[in-house]
Amino acid sequence: MPHTLTPLRERQSRKPTGRPNPPLILLVGPEKSGKSYEAALGTRSGLVGMTYWIEIGGSEGTADYYGRIPGVRYEIVPHNGTYQDILDAIRWAVAQPPVNGKPNMIVIDNGTNLWDMLSDEQALFARHRAERKARENKRRAPSLDTPVTVDNDLWNRAKDRWGEILWVLRRHSGPTVLLARQEIVTAFENDRPTREKTRKIKAEKNLPAAVDAIVELHGLGEAHLTGVRTLHWDVKPGQSEPFPDFSIDTLLRRLGFEEAAAARQVYETRPAAYLDEPDQQQTAPPKQQNNQQQGREQQRPQQDNRPALSSKAAVKLIHEALTNPTDPDSCLRDIRETWGTRYLATIPAFTKTWGDLDANTLITRCLDHIKEEAKKRSADGKEIGSTPAPGTPEDGAREHREDPTPEPQAGLDQEGAPPHTEEATAPEDAGQSDAGAHGEEPPSADEDDAPPPPDPQAEEPPPAEESEDTSAAEEPQDKPVSWPQAKKPPVTKKDKQMQVALKALYDEADAQARLKFVTLGEHLGPITEAGDPSLIELKNYVEAQRPDAIGTLLKAGQTALANSYRNARTPDLALNKQLAAYLDSAPARA
């Protein structure tokens, strides 16, 4: 698609609110430095309603014990220790309504154990993958003592699952306190260890960039502010400052939480949308008609679901470029440059000679045949085309015939005249040929030249298959190319029904994956290891995953949608639309 400066849709800008976001606070420190204790004291703050405590990893187990501190107000959210249940517990805490008109607080204790669990998951998956490959190749499986390399794709998967946790926490309307361990390690310089020591947070390395404030506890009662994002507090960027009398309540007030917005203002990126771009024919608004050559006066496609360039219009445009008296080669290339190869490949173009094509392939073949015809004329010592028009120098003008082909095509009459075409019988061209329109005599059957081929027909054909952006016919050819004239087999009604059913099943599987907060590839992993699943395999797998999806909808309070899902057939297009509407709505994703 050519680059354009015209926006594809209307937008409405807005002024900044000046209000801070609900803060994400990272509280780090070595073992027994008081992280959980300070988080428990923070639940007494008058700025929050209720605190929901999600404890990950049973090595410390202080959530119940710190409940005896006077004045603390928090509740423990249980889970079974798996990633999906921990993620769902966080979703549940985020979805709880405010208590006493005040936003709730969430405590994650702690992020180090969560990242360790994700790392262990990928190590187990890597070993499982190595054992499976060994079975397939009939080799000995690695023993428990044999180290197995965790590939980069598995680490990227762990980062994605960690990112889902942060994605849900960013939808929380109140403060979030994440606890993590900090280790004192040897500092490296130029990849070599030194005698200096430094502090390192034991969690995913991008966590400090995702939070709004970082507080380090070097010991009991010894707090340091090492990073903060605020305008309510006069701090010096890039410096670590002591934080005397630290408490979560004091930090919230200095961050301006009393003036915080009801929800975090954030614009998330959507990498998965790239997969849908080929199916979404996003086109530019109409282009101002400012062309000077023939065959270039057309409009750009409109921004809607229907292509602005119809099949008839595309074939007529190519015909006008072919009959250009000066330079049909440039006119054809101008059409491709203006509309783009990908867009032209979506427009069907039917010809009696070549059968079903698309507009881009038709232009490619026309350009190639013009080149071949030029070689033939050069070999015979002739100018391309007929006798030059009167008053035109022979060495400065060259004429092209309409859509020349390597050999005479079937359908010509006995005297060599081209078959009847729509372009030749148009009212404005009736009674004269293109050559006659330029002051020349039409070629006769007695000439040595091969008769011209039929023009492309502007008939509405069935949709053609997608072609590549660059056809092989555009490569230099030493010999004339004989294009096959056989038509493509028609698509049967059964094939169309299977395509519709397959798409509906993938849409339902995508909705199930979004309800589980996993990617579609992760959701379909058990049936895609050996390749794309069959229609029956996909149908059985989607039906087996329905109870989990229905349970998720019931937990979210979507009883009516869950009942509809329970009674729906497989596949159900109407149900897919309901699920998509629910998942795309702001409340469902919050």
Side-chain angles (χ1 to χ4, degrees):
M1 175 180 175
H3 295 287
T4 177
L5 293 177
T6 306
L8 298 180
R9 66 181 180 91
E10 292 294 332
R11 302 176 188 273
Q12 184 65 40
S13 60
R14 64 177 180 85
K15 295 182 179 180
T17 61
R19 304 174 66 183
N21 291 320
L24 281 168
I25 301 172
L26 179 59
L27 193 59
V28 299
E31 297 81 0
K32 311 301 182 294
S33 58
K35 300 184 296 295
S36 301
Y37 181 76
E38 290 292 344
L41 292 179
T43 63
R44 301 187 301 186
S45 173
L47 300 178
V48 297
M50 177 56 66
T51 298
Y52 296 99
W53 194 293
I54 301 176
E55 192 171 32
I56 303 173
S59 60
E60 298 178 0
T62 58
D64 280 301
Y65 180 52
Y66 287 156
R68 66 187 300 171
I69 300 175
V72 297
R73 292 179 289 107
Y74 65 88
E75 295 179 356
I76 301 174
V77 183
H79 57 83
N80 61 11
T82 64
Y83 168 78
Q84 290 296 339
D85 205 49
I86 292 173
L87 179 61
D88 194 63
I90 296 176
R91 291 196 200 106
W92 181 88
V94 170
Q96 296 310 300
V99 177
N100 298 327
K102 298 177 182 179
N104 301 324
M105 184 167 70
I106 297 177
V107 174
I108 306 295
D109 186 13
N110 63 50
T112 300
N113 293 338
L114 175 60
W115 179 247
D116 288 344
M117 184 194 71
L118 295 176
S119 302
D120 293 341
E121 281 184 348
Q122 306 317 310
L124 291 173
F125 194 90
R127 182 168 295 277
H128 173 73
R129 174 187 289 180
E131 293 173 352
R132 186 182 73 249
K133 289 183 178 180
R135 289 194 301 269
E136 293 174 354
N137 298 328
K138 297 181 179 180
R139 296 182 304 181
R140 180 181 299 176
S143 64
L144 295 178
D145 297 330
T146 304
V148 177
T149 303
V150 181
D151 298 329
N152 290 334
D153 65 316
L154 297 181
W155 284 119
N156 292 335
R157 181 185 180 187
K159 287 179 176 291
D160 290 341
R161 293 162 80 85
W162 174 270
E164 288 176 350
I165 296 286
L166 295 182
W167 188 92
V168 177
L169 292 176
R170 282 196 291 267
R171 268 67 192 167
H172 183 42
S173 59
T176 301
V177 179
L178 292 94
L179 309 183
R181 287 200 304 273
Q182 190 179 51
E183 297 179 341
I184 300 177
V185 297
T186 301
F188 279 73
E189 183 177 357
N190 297 329
D191 295 334
R192 292 186 176 183
T194 64
R195 296 182 179 181
E196 303 295 331
K197 298 293 183 180
T198 184
R199 295 178 180 271
K200 181 180 179 181
I201 300 174
K202 196 168 186 240
E204 202 274 328
K205 63 180 182 180
N206 295 319
L207 177 59
V211 299
D212 299 293
I214 305 175
V215 178
E216 295 182 359
L217 298 179
H218 295 176
L220 294 175
E222 183 183 355
H224 292 262
L225 181 71
T226 59
V228 67
R229 184 186 296 119
T230 181
L231 296 176
H232 289 73
W233 191 1
D234 187 15
V235 294
K236 296 180 181 180
Q239 295 185 5
S240 176
E241 297 185 1
F243 198 148
D245 301 327
F246 166 76
S247 67
I248 298 294
D249 180 75
T250 303
L251 180 59
L252 291 177
R253 295 182 187 277
R254 293 191 180 183
L255 293 177
F257 177 65
E258 296 172 295
E259 305 175 8
R264 178 176 289 268
Q265 297 294 332
V266 60
Y267 295 93
E268 300 283 354
T269 57
R270 298 171 55 198
Y274 175 75
L275 302 176
D276 301 330
E277 286 182 3
D279 299 330
Q280 299 174 356
Q281 299 179 4
Q282 296 181 354
T283 54
K287 180 181 178 181
Q288 294 184 356
Q289 299 187 7
N290 192 23
N291 301 317
Q292 298 179 358
Q293 298 182 2
Q294 274 189 323
R296 295 182 61 183
E297 296 183 1
Q298 63 268 348
Q299 291 183 339
R300 299 289 297 155
Q302 302 289 339
Q303 186 188 358
D304 54 15
N305 294 330
R306 298 175 300 172
L309 187 64
S310 64
S311 177
K312 289 186 177 181
V315 175
K316 182 178 179 181
L317 205 60
I318 297 173
H319 171 78
E320 292 176 354
L322 283 170
T323 57
N324 184 271
T326 57
D327 195 354
D329 187 279
S330 298
C331 292
L332 287 170
R333 296 184 186 276
D334 288 340
I335 295 175
R336 176 173 286 169
E337 181 180 356
T338 303
W339 291 89
T341 57
R342 291 190 177 183
Y343 180 73
L344 289 173
T346 63
I347 302 176
F350 175 75
T351 62
K352 292 183 178 179
T353 304
W354 294 320
D356 293 331
L357 299 174
D358 57 75
N360 182 54
T361 305
L362 181 59
I363 292 176
T364 299
R365 294 190 179 183
C366 291
L367 289 172
D368 187 71
H369 297 330
I370 289 175
K371 186 188 302 181
E372 295 299 330
E373 190 71 9
K375 291 181 180 179
K376 291 180 181 179
R377 298 290 184 250
S378 299
D380 296 340
K382 299 180 180 180
E383 291 280 335
I384 300 176
S386 303
T387 306
T392 304
E394 290 189 6
D395 56 349
R398 55 193 182 99
E399 302 267 343
H400 288 265
R401 308 180 63 144
E402 293 182 24
D403 194 15
T405 57
E407 56 186 13
Q409 303 294 326
L412 300 176
D413 55 26
Q414 295 181 359
E415 298 183 2
H420 182 73
T421 63
E422 280 190 20
E423 295 294 342
T425 58
E428 59 272 19
D429 296 334
Q432 61 179 5
S433 66
D434 295 303
H438 301 296
E440 300 175 10
E441 293 294 329
S444 63
D446 297 332
E447 293 179 351
D448 296 333
D449 301 337
D455 292 330
Q457 297 300 302
E459 300 175 3
E460 289 291 341
E465 296 182 358
E466 292 187 4
S467 64
E468 297 180 354
D469 293 345
T470 304
S471 172
E474 293 182 352
E475 299 293 333
Q477 303 290 330
D478 297 332
K479 298 180 180 180
V481 180
S482 298
W483 297 98
Q485 301 182 14
K487 294 186 177 180
K488 301 173 184 177
V491 179
T492 63
K493 182 178 181 181
K494 183 178 180 180
D495 293 338
K496 293 182 179 179
Q497 292 176 348
M498 292 185 63
Q499 292 175 2
V500 172
L502 191 63
K503 183 179 184 304
L505 288 172
Y506 272 110
D507 289 343
E508 183 175 347
D510 182 65
Q512 292 176 351
R514 294 175 65 184
L515 287 172
K516 294 170 60 177
F517 276 83
V518 298
T519 63
L520 181 60
E522 293 176 349
H523 180 59
L524 297 180
I527 62 173
T528 56
E529 292 183 356
D532 293 338
S534 64
L535 184 65
I536 300 301
E537 291 176 344
L538 183 60
K539 178 177 179 295
N540 295 336
Y541 183 78
V542 169
E543 287 182 342
Q545 301 299 318
R546 279 192 169 188
D548 293 340
I550 292 172
T552 302
L553 292 173
L554 291 174
K555 290 180 181 179
Q558 300 294 324
T559 307
L561 183 56
N563 292 334
S564 300
Y565 200 0
R566 185 180 293 107
N567 300 325
R569 64 180 186 275
T570 307
D572 194 326
L573 299 178
L575 174 67
N576 290 344
K577 292 181 180 179
Q578 296 178 15
L579 291 173
Y582 163 69
L583 293 170
D584 292 338
S585 62
R589 307 298 294 176

